[in-house]
């Protein structure tokens, strides 16, 4: 399907903010601090940074280069760049992964809206967060309503296209997110628990570093950078040929990592040490309970949940764009129709996830993988947020090395760049040798143990 007048980002800053918005999400603000808390604090942070540079950055470059070269979403990009049609299947997997991740990520994102609303209107009650969280997540109508509201916001933005919707919103929301985070960090550092929290977060504890730490750091880097499902590829497809991919990709990776590290500077000083709960409990129960007791806690709580809502929204719009771009690029549909149809599809698919947290007992516990009882939401996250992303990244590397070929990849990546030969060689070595070895390790670990990385 030929689309001669493909829309492009208005400015490279707009692109960088949108791509950073995709990367910066719930993964940074609660998953990163939780994993850091469970895996040795400072030593995990150091390992994470190394992995982001060794594995994350090369893959970011692959996705951006493919997107810009093809000027298509994932399915079209493989169709155009690959010598064999079988690679197109990987494009379909990417679109499916985007739809499924959005269907459960949107449910959790809906909670951030609800909690923002509670903080604004009534505040949190001391010690009441645990029971409230349980009754809220097991109320099917509430779960579907907030999911629908969040999805509505997402659809409403993507509906207006790249410049008028995604770029415009990201340009406003990302600076707001940054300022909110700074304000919250300044507040957290004034609390009496700050010193203990910081000590835990920043002083490396080498005893906690194991093979599992490495696997977690790798999986987190991947999820956090939105890699392995074509989100960066799709955003890259709206870049014009004169953009500097080397620079933009590096800035996106640095921003994502910086925000994750900054989120730790907020969460640990408030907690005053290691988190005793992981996953949703950390933010929606432990922190919320603290907001009920802290000075100006209600106001701070409102800002915190606004921060989470913004982070989640700039991520969900990128997931929606991957899905919609398939219908736009490959089926020739209008953007508006594509976004509405994909919105409806995601809604239907998200309902079982929304109901799996207590509303419908049978959906709460479907399978047991490696000792973990997974419900519908947990299973969707395991299969798509963990396995499909990692497998997708691995296959992307195979595609680049064996099908698209080094020469084509490098010609695209370095057009408009003055990077010297030596770092180019290092980058390709990381991509072709280091990254696939690392990804094979996590895939094996996840499939063997059923351990999700969240
Ligand atoms: N990077 C997002 C986060 O850290 O929350 C999650 C995500 C968004 C993953 C978009 C994949 C994606 F395509």
């Amino acid at each position: 399907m030929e689309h001669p007048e493909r829309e492009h980002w208005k400015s490279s800053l707009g692109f960088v903010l949108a791509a950073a918005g995709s990367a910066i999400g719930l993964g940074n603000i609660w998953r990163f601090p939780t994993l850091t808390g469970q895996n040795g604090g400072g030593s995990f942070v150091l390992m994470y940074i190394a992995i982001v540079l060794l594995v994350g950055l090369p893959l970011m470059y692959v996705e951006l280069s493919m997107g810009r070269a093809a000027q298509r979403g994932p399915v079209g990009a493989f169709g155009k760049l690959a010598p064999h049609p079988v690679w197109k299947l990987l494009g379909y997997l990417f679109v499916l992964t985007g739809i499924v991740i959005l269907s459960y990520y949107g449910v959790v994102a809906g909670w951030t809206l609800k909690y923002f609303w509670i903080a604004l209107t009534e505040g949190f009650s001391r010690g009441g967060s645990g029971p409230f969280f349980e009754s809220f997540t097991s109320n099917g109508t509430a779960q579907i309503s907030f999911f629908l509201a969040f999805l509505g916001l997402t659809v409403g933005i993507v509906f207006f296209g790249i410049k008028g919707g995604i770029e415009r919103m990201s340009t406003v929301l990302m600076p707001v997110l940054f300022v909110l985070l700074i304000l919250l960090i300044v507040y957290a550092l004034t609390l009496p628990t700050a010193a203990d929290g910081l000590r835990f977060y920043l002083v490396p504890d080498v005893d906690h570093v194991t093979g599992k730490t490495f696997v977690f750091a790798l999986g987190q880097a991947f999820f956090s950078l939105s890699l392995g499902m074509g989100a960066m590829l799709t955003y890259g497809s709206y870049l014009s040929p004169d953009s500097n991919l080397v620079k933009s990709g590096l800035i996106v990776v640095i921003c994502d990592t910086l925000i994750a590290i900054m989120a730790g500077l907020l969460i640990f000083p408030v907690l005053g040490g290691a988190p005793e709960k992981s996953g949703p409990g950390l933010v929606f129960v432990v922190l919320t309970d603290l907001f009920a007791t802290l000075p100006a806690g209600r106001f701070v709580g409102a800002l915190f949940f606004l921060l989470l809502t913004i982070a989640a929204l700039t991520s969900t719009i990128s997931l929606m764009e991957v899905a919609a771009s398939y219908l736009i690029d490959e089926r020739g549909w209008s953007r508006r129709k594509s976004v509405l149809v994909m919105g409806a599809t995601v809604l239907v698919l998200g309902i079982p996830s929304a109901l799996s947290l207590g509303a419908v007992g049978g959906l709460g516990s479907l399978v047991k993988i490696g000792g973990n009882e997974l419900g519908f939401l947990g299973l969707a996250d395991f299969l798509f947020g963990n396995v499909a992303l990692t497998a997708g990244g691995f296959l992307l590397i195979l595609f680049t090395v064996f099908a698209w070929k080094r020469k084509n990849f490098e010609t695209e990546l370095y057009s408009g760049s003055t990077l010297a030969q030596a770092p180019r060689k290092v980058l390709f070595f990381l991509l072709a040798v280091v990254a696939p070895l690392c990804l094979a390790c996590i895939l094996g670990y996840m499939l063997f143990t059923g351990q999700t990385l969240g």
Side-chain angles (χ1 to χ4, degrees), residues 28-105:
N28 300 56
I29 311 221
W30 107 52
R31 199 156 100 146
F32 178 78
T34 305
L35 285 173
T36 304
Q38 292 162 343
N39 293 288
S43 18
F44 181 82
V45 177
L46 289 179
M47 190 180 285
Y48 179 80
I49 295 175
I51 286 171
V52 161
L53 292 174
L54 297 180
V55 182
L57 187 63
L59 261 159
M60 175 68 72
Y61 284 147
V62 164
E63 288 211 21
L64 294 179
S65 306
M66 282 183 68
R68 190 180 63 179
Q71 297 284 302
R72 296 277 192 292
V75 174
F78 283 106
K80 197 163 164 185
L81 304 176
H84 194 284
V86 78
W87 285 105
K88 244 184 153 173
L89 292 176
L90 189 53
Y92 287 107
L93 173 70
F94 283 4
V95 174
L96 179 68
T97 304
I99 293 174
V100 178
I101 294 184
L102 181 54
S103 77
Y104 70 83
Y105 195 95

Side-chain angles (χ1 to χ4, degrees), residues 19-31 48 63 94 97-98 101-102 104-105 220-232 256 311-312 314-320 322 384-385 389:
S22 168
I24 297 163
L26 300 173
N28 300 56
I29 311 221
W30 107 52
R31 199 156 100 146
Y48 179 80
E63 288 211 21
F94 283 4
T97 304
I101 294 184
L102 181 54
Y104 70 83
Y105 195 95
Q220 171 62 15
F222 221 64
F223 181 83
S224 186
L225 291 167
S226 303
L227 294 172
M229 51 138 294
M232 291 299 165
D256 185 62
T314 49
S315 295
T316 55
I317 56 181
S318 69
L319 291 161
M320 176 57 86
V322 173
F384 289 89
L389 287 187

